[in-house]
């Protein structure tokens, strides 16, 4: 895993510039060819008869996205390194699609990692161009990933917590992408700060994450307005600030990722 973590170095290098994204800024995609956009597809298993709990699904998504990046195949020279490094060197876009039954089984053959969390399953796939998406993915729907909010248990000791902004409503699919960003940024900053031993322990424990929604007062207290770099260096809180492609306004802080102290 130690060698694979180097694939996350571009994230840490660009973290400070992401934090300067103002709430008034916009994501300029005018020069993009939609077919050449590279993203990580994430498939959420949502069966009609027995849908998973929303919290469990988001926790599986956070772990799955990071698990792909820290897989030994992402180490320099590995078969996944080129695809993942090229992706982390740009915008770490993700797209979530829902699947059930035979469609869920079909995506298991695509390069990626499936993670189970409680009653939930998510498969994060190797980043790819939109134009290269196989039929197993393109036939899956992006919309319709709504799940009822649930009341999770207390955060287990020693597990990083991904706090969802309580003032921003997101679909389960959007939230899954955001917590996937959060777990990756958290790992990238640990690696950049020379905390490889902590990252290694996290990996050995299965990269488990807790996803929670704090009260408004707690969010206001924790959100590092104006000084996110100090928030990380002193409090081990990393910030996910959205570019505003879907659902939320550009510059919106969607998740605070808190490493246990």
């Amino acid at each position: 895993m130690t060698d694979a973590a180097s694939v996350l170095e571009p994230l840490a290098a660009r973290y400070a510039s992401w934090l300067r994204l103002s709430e008034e800024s916009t994501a300029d995609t005018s020069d993009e060819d939609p077919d050449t956009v590279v993203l990580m597809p994430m498939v959420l298993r949502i069966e009609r008869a027995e849908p998973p709990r929303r919290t469990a699904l988001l926790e599986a998504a956070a772990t799955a996205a990071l698990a792909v990046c820290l897989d030994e195949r992402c180490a320099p020279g590995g078969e996944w390194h080129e695809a993942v490094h090229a992706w982390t060197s740009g915008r770490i876009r993700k797209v979530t699609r829902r699947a059930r039954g035979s469609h869920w089984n079909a995506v298991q053959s695509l390069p990626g990692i499936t993670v189970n969390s409680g009653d939930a399953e998510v498969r994060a796939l190797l980043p790819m161009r939109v134009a290269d998406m196989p039929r197993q993915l393109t036939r899956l729907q992006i919309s319709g990933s709504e799940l009822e909010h649930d009341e999770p248990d207390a955060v287990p000791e020693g597990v990083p917590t991904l706090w969802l902004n309580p003032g921003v409503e997101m679909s389960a699919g959007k939230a899954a992408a955001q917590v996937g960003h959060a777990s990756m940024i958290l790992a990238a900053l640990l690696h950049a700060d020379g905390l490889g031993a902590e990252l290694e322990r996290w990996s050995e424990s299965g990269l488990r994450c807790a996803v929670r929604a704090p009260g408004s007062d707690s969010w206001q207290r924790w959100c590092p307005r104006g000084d996110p770099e100090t928030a990380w260096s002193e409090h081990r809180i990393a910030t996910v600030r959205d570019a505003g492609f879907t659902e939320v306004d550009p510059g919106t802080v969607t998740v605070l990722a808190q490493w246990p102290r």
Side-chain angles (χ1 to χ4, degrees):
M1 190 282 296
T2 302
D3 290 341
S6 64
V7 82
L8 295 173
E9 289 172 359
L11 273 69
R14 296 197 316 281
Y15 182 63
S17 64
W18 289 348
L19 298 180
R20 289 192 290 270
L21 179 65
S22 70
E23 295 183 3
E24 291 75 31
S25 66
T26 58
D28 183 7
T29 61
S30 59
D31 61 344
E32 286 186 338
D33 177 350
D35 285 344
T36 64
V37 169
V38 177
L39 44 74
M40 171 185 276
M42 300 178 68
V43 183
L44 317 178
R45 185 177 187 181
I46 303 180
E47 299 288 346
R48 181 182 289 111
E50 296 183 8
R53 291 178 300 116
R54 180 184 173 104
T55 297
L57 189 75
L58 298 183
E59 291 175 345
T63 297
L66 181 56
V68 168
C69 299
L70 296 184
D71 188 274
E72 61 182 10
R73 287 166 287 187
C74 288
E79 61 184 294
W80 287 4
H81 177 78
E82 184 176 349
V84 176
H85 186 269
W87 174 61
T88 59
S89 297
R91 293 184 172 119
I92 54 168
R93 293 184 184 176
K94 299 179 176 71
V95 62
T96 57
R97 296 176 182 263
R98 62 182 175 87
R100 57 175 174 257
S102 61
H103 287 179
W104 168 255
N105 293 333
V107 300
Q108 302 307 306
S109 64
L110 302 177
I113 293 177
T114 296
V115 168
N116 304 315
S117 177
D119 61 352
E121 289 183 274
V122 173
R123 185 167 182 81
L125 301 175
L126 201 62
M128 64 184 72
R129 296 192 314 155
V130 171
D132 296 334
M133 281 193 174
R135 174 62 178 162
Q136 294 100 310
L137 285 176
T138 57
R139 68 185 178 183
L140 302 179
Q141 292 188 349
I142 297 176
S143 60
S145 61
E146 271 317 300
L147 296 169
E148 293 185 5
H149 292 269
D150 58 287
E151 296 293 333
D153 296 332
V155 175
E157 185 176 354
V159 174
T161 307
L162 312 180
W163 299 102
L164 296 169
N165 187 335
V168 175
E169 188 62 33
M170 294 183 284
S171 67
K174 175 69 173 181
Q178 297 300 296
V179 296
H181 296 342
S183 62
M184 288 175 58
I185 292 171
L186 196 58
L189 294 177
L190 290 171
H191 177 70
D193 277 6
L195 299 173
E198 293 190 47
L199 183 55
E200 189 73 39
R201 283 194 293 272
W202 188 20
S203 181
E204 290 173 353
S205 68
L207 298 172
R208 186 179 181 187
C209 300
V211 176
R212 299 292 186 270
S216 297
D217 290 345
S218 296
W219 177 268
Q220 292 296 328
R221 186 169 63 254
W222 295 334
C223 195
R225 301 182 187 281
D227 194 9
E229 290 170 292
T230 298
W232 171 251
S233 62
E234 295 186 1
H235 305 293
R236 289 291 183 252
I237 291 177
T239 305
V240 178
R241 191 181 292 275
D242 196 67
F245 292 112
T246 61
E247 293 194 26
V248 303
D249 294 332
T252 300
V253 175
T254 55
V255 184
L256 297 178
Q258 186 175 37
W259 185 252
R261 300 301 293 264

